[in-house]
Amino acid sequence: MNSPKNSNQLKRSLRLKDLVIFGLTFMSPVAAMSLFGIITLVSKGHSILSYLIGFVAMLFTAYSFGKMVEAYPVSGSTYTYAKRSLHPKIGFIAGWGILLDYLFLPILAFLIGATFANTLIPSIPIWAWVLIFAIPVIIVNIVGIEVVAKVNFILVTLMILSILAFVISTINYLVTGGFNLLDANALYNPDSFSFSAVIGGAAIVTVAYLGFDAITTLAEETNESGKKIGFSIIIACTIQTIFFLSVTYFGIVVLGDHIEITNPDSAFSEVLSAVSGHFIQTFITLIIIAANVASALASQSAASRLLYGMGRDEAVPRKFFAYLHPKFKTPIYNILLMSGIGIVGAITLSLKVVSDLLAFGGLFGFICVNLSVISHYFFKNKQRNIFSYLLVPVIGIAVCSYLLVGISPIGKIVGGAWLLIGIVFLLLKESIEKKSKLSVSNVNENLMDLTEEN
């Protein structure tokens, strides 16, 4: 039997390699394939520039996450950092904002995976594929993070192999077809360039990077130091960028013109059909499906840990959200809740709406983390390292804020409404707690009065 001390603690078993692989699985090396059509269309063919801007934005913020996990190596991530560095109320809103990110990532993953699976076997509808993918994800997450880490390693290996297969097939297609491997228009095309379009693409690119921050939600499930956890974030982001740029560059070279995209959801499938045979197409399609299932697995795991951290602090009902399975030591109720939301969302929402909401939640949370670095290190602890504790987070805030403005109107409206719901929930919760304390106080006073009378 577990002692009371350990009954509500997560199990520490992850290493540095596991953290990097978890981040890569969450972000998904083949995400550039899944989002190729949308980002290329929005950026007007300048996906490479959008990815580079997105990477710069993420790099500054990734550095800030690394600094905060050094200060607070506990589960909860964005919520914990803002709560302890800024204010408990700001921490709740920050956690609520990033929760939008974690809520919709499994939806996006299930949606993309089911769409690609439906192209292979059209007789099985998309909603059925969503259920087929969701059930094993639930089971693996409940069993525990060690199983997740082993599954992630296999899937990341397969994703890297699929990227290599695509790049090799594309190079062969271009060389044998008499095309140039180096195409300047894939980087910059003066006929279609629009800075606002590139920024719009960069805002969506953040969706492809969302996941490096999830590494910090596992801080209580690893024996690695906070500095190593921060280092794993930088490694994961850099590796992911190399994958993104490789896939996107060759995809644009083959496509030729973004105007050719009629259906952004199937744009990469068209590129794949042009450059490879049936076997390679099927292999890569299967890997994209598996990658999205893996991303759903990782995002569901991270979301459940974020809610666990908030529940343990009683920011949300502790009895439900901070409950751990007695055998597996996993937040089972949170996992089941995230699964239900993921299934319903994947069946009812569109890819574009989900992408915009993901970007809103992620960017808002990133801004809060950068603010936390300034507050914790520069002001509260008087560490006057201008570069690390002021300049880097300020740049991170500026870039993320600019990208936030570039999100579509519907994304900003729904995202803003989500934050408003969080604020209302917080006010109602505080009001109920205040009334409860007053009631207890009145009862105690009445008891004291009766005692004195007797």
Side-chain angles (χ1 to χ4, degrees), residues 120-167:
L120 284 182
I121 309 177
S123 59
I124 300 179
I126 289 178
W127 66 264
W129 279 116
V130 170
L131 292 176
I132 291 169
F133 297 149
I135 292 171
V137 165
I138 295 171
I139 294 171
V140 172
N141 262 321
I142 289 174
V143 169
I145 198 68
E146 291 176 88
V147 176
V148 173
K150 291 175 183 176
V151 172
N152 286 346
F153 179 78
I154 295 170
L155 289 172
V156 166
T157 301
L158 290 173
M159 283 188 266
I160 293 172
L161 288 175
S162 70
I163 291 172
L164 289 174
F166 169 70
V167 170

Side-chain angles (χ1 to χ4, degrees), residues 169-181 249-250 253-254:
S169 297
T170 305
I171 292 174
N172 179 66
Y173 167 79
L174 294 173
V175 171
T176 57
F179 300 102
N180 291 324
L181 283 176
Y249 172 78
F250 284 112
V253 171
V254 172

Side-chain angles (χ1 to χ4, degrees), residues 27-299:
M27 290 185 283
S28 178
V30 296
M33 297 178 178
S34 304
L35 298 171
F36 175 78
I38 291 177
I39 295 175
T40 302
L41 196 61
V42 171
S43 66
K44 295 185 177 181
H46 291 84
S47 301
I48 296 292
L49 293 179
S50 291
Y51 271 111
L52 289 173
I53 292 172
F55 174 60
V56 171
M58 295 305 99
L59 200 57
F60 285 106
T61 302
Y63 183 84
S64 291
F65 265 100
K67 288 300 176 184
M68 291 313 299
V69 79
E70 285 183 42
Y72 304 112
V74 295
S75 183
S77 189
T78 304
Y79 156 74
T80 299
Y81 307 151
K83 173 180 177 289
R84 298 193 182 186
S85 300
L86 299 169
H87 191 277
K89 291 181 181 178
I90 297 176
F92 177 86
I93 298 302
W96 186 267
I98 201 74
L99 185 59
L100 185 66
D101 174 15
Y102 291 154
L103 282 173
F104 280 87
L105 265 171
I107 295 174
L108 181 72
F110 285 142
L111 184 58
I112 293 173
T115 300
F116 275 88
N118 180 253
T119 62
L120 284 182
I121 309 177
S123 59
I124 300 179
I126 289 178
W127 66 264
W129 279 116
V130 170
L131 292 176
I132 291 169
F133 297 149
I135 292 171
V137 165
I138 295 171
I139 294 171
V140 172
N141 262 321
I142 289 174
V143 169
I145 198 68
E146 291 176 88
V147 176
V148 173
K150 291 175 183 176
V151 172
N152 286 346
F153 179 78
I154 295 170
L155 289 172
V156 166
T157 301
L158 290 173
M159 283 188 266
I160 293 172
L161 288 175
S162 70
I163 291 172
L164 289 174
F166 169 70
V167 170
I168 292 170
S169 297
T170 305
I171 292 174
N172 179 66
Y173 167 79
L174 294 173
V175 171
T176 57
F179 300 102
N180 291 324
L181 283 176
L182 300 178
D183 187 350
N185 286 331
L187 302 176
Y188 172 73
N189 187 340
D191 295 331
S192 61
F193 179 80
S194 165
F195 188 71
S196 60
V198 172
I199 294 300
I204 298 176
V205 159
T206 60
V207 173
Y209 277 105
L210 296 177
F212 72 81
D213 55 303
I215 293 174
T216 62
T217 66
L218 303 180
E220 288 185 56
E221 292 168 88
T222 177
N223 288 312
E224 300 289 359
S225 66
K227 181 171 285 189
K228 283 192 175 181
I229 295 174
F231 184 52
S232 71
I233 295 173
I234 301 296
I235 294 174
C237 278
T238 303
I239 294 174
Q240 191 75 339
T241 301
I242 294 170
F243 292 146
F244 286 165
L245 294 179
S246 300
V247 169
T248 302
Y249 172 78
F250 284 112
I252 293 174
V253 171
V254 172
L255 184 67
D257 194 334
H258 73 280
I259 299 175
E260 299 295 325
I261 296 178
T262 54
N263 181 1
D265 292 352
S266 61
F268 189 77
S269 295
E270 294 172 13
V271 171
L272 205 53
S273 297
V275 303
S276 60
H278 178 72
F279 175 78
I280 296 296
Q281 289 178 47
T282 303
F283 170 70
I284 294 177
T285 301
L286 288 172
I287 296 304
I288 291 174
I289 295 169
N292 281 283
V293 174
S295 182
L297 182 70
S299 56

